[in-house]
Amino acid sequence: MFIDTHCHIHDSKMFAELAKSRHLPPPLTPEDYLSIATKNNVTTVITIGTDAADSQAAVRFAEAHDNVYSTVGIHPSETTDLPNLHQIQELKNSPKVVAFGEIGLDYHYPDFDQKAQIRLFEEQLQLAQDLDLPVILHIREAYPDALAVLDNFPGLRGVAHSFSDHIKPVEELLKRDLYIGLNGIATFTRDPFQLEAFNAIPLDRLLLETDAPFLTPKPFRGKINHPAYVKNVGEWVAKSRGLTSDEIAKVTTKNASNLFNLPAEKGKL
């Protein structure tokens, strides 16, 4: 069994816009993608909130589907949504909310507002601690600042999602007892330093994800990503470490269940 620990399956608009921008056929329905995932032994999916309204949509979607869970949070690119953080706090009582995220820092685009991002990050880390929820971290080209902020919140549980950096951040994340999430990037990167970092992640700290509809793994490049493809990420990890896909499925499912306190559920999504 595999768990897709990070996707946006609830956001049909996101899937449709990505398909249109890449001149691809219209995407299937979320229910169709969940059915395909079940047939590929992906039995649990976590769908991710990126702002206050999207977090509400993620929770509603999870509540309507067995074995689908959600997170709530404001993405670092959505700094103007900070005043609506109270709306996210109101979602905490849903049994389908398993984490706070995705939150963090993203310095990739030239017009980023460093101070606003750090403030938003700190506010959400405090709320996550207050609610006793693990965090899903979005950190891109911002590890020095992100790690410094994280050090002000000792004991925090969470995962650095869509990891694509080099070995030093892996070492720093492990020092803080955080998990590290790999997705389709691992299957198609040619960066030897990334590959070194990916293979340095201890199995007991590894999570698998798709980030669907983005970052489609090989051999499905050029198509819309969806939760069933987390199996291909697992197969890449297994091959790179000389293990079986079943072994990777078992350990990463255990890791995800421990971090997100998921019940032992089986069957259709």
Side-chain angles (χ1 to χ4, degrees):
M1 297 185 299
F2 288 94
I3 295 178
D4 183 359
T5 62
H6 192 115
C7 70
H8 303 274
I9 192 67
H10 68 281
D11 193 342
S12 296
K13 183 179 179 182
M14 182 184 291
F15 278 71
E17 289 178 347
L18 184 63
K20 184 177 180 180
S21 69
R22 297 184 181 177
H23 307 289
L24 298 172
L28 304 179
T29 68
E31 287 70 26
D32 287 335
Y33 284 132
L34 292 178
S35 177
I36 296 169
T38 297
K39 294 175 182 177
N40 283 273
N41 295 324
V42 180
T43 59
T44 303
V45 165
I46 300 176
T47 193
I48 308 298
T50 58
D51 60 33
D54 188 59
S55 294
Q56 291 175 334
V59 173
R60 288 195 298 267
F61 184 88
E63 290 175 339
H65 296 83
D66 291 340
N67 294 5
V68 176
Y69 297 88
S70 67
T71 72
V72 295
I74 301 175
H75 188 281
S77 65
E78 304 292 339
T79 54
T80 58
D81 206 34
L82 177 59
N84 295 322
L85 194 55
H86 68 281
Q87 296 177 15
I88 289 177
Q89 188 172 4
E90 293 171 358
L91 299 170
K92 69 181 184 300
N93 292 327
S94 172
K96 288 301 191 81
V97 174
V98 297
F100 212 100
E102 59 187 286
I103 65 175
L105 301 176
D106 190 327
Y107 296 171
H108 179 68
Y109 297 104
D111 58 347
F112 71 89
D113 187 330
Q114 181 187 32
K115 290 184 178 180
Q117 285 197 22
I118 290 175
R119 181 190 173 197
L120 177 64
F121 191 25
E122 291 174 334
E123 292 275 358
Q124 294 188 96
L125 288 173
Q126 185 61 62
L127 187 52
Q129 277 200 330
D130 293 343
L131 299 177
D132 192 27
L133 285 173
V135 293
I136 294 183
L137 302 170
H138 174 108
I139 305 172
R140 182 159 62 161
E141 299 175 23
Y143 268 98
D145 281 356
L147 292 168
V149 172
L150 288 170
D151 285 341
N152 294 323
F153 298 87
L156 201 71
R157 297 169 292 126
V159 55
H161 114 88
S162 192
F163 185 82
S164 60
D165 217 291
H166 296 171
I167 192 69
K168 185 61 176 178
V170 169
E171 295 170 349
E172 294 298 326
L173 293 166
L174 294 176
K175 287 179 184 177
R176 293 160 178 81
D177 294 324
L178 295 167
Y179 289 85
I180 301 174
L182 293 185
N183 54 35
I185 294 172
T187 72
F188 59 75
T189 183
R190 296 183 179 181
D191 184 335
F193 297 104
Q194 284 184 331
L195 293 171
E196 177 192 24
F198 297 160
N199 285 309
I201 301 168
L203 287 180
D204 64 356
R205 292 281 105 185
L206 177 65
L207 297 182
L208 303 181
E209 61 171 75
T210 60
D211 203 15
F214 310 106
L215 303 176
T216 310
K218 293 177 69 175
F220 301 106
R221 301 292 294 153
K223 297 182 178 181
I224 291 291
N225 201 5
H226 55 89
Y229 291 161
V230 75
K231 181 178 179 180
N232 297 87
V233 180
E235 290 172 348
W236 178 89
V237 173
K239 183 177 180 180
S240 70
R241 301 188 183 214
L243 300 172
T244 68
S245 182
D246 285 347
E247 288 173 316
I248 295 302
K250 182 177 180 180
V251 69
T252 56
T253 293
K254 179 181 179 181
N255 294 344
S257 297
N258 288 342
L259 177 61
F260 299 117
N261 195 28
L262 300 174
E265 293 184 285
K266 299 180 180 180
K268 293 184 178 181
L269 287 162

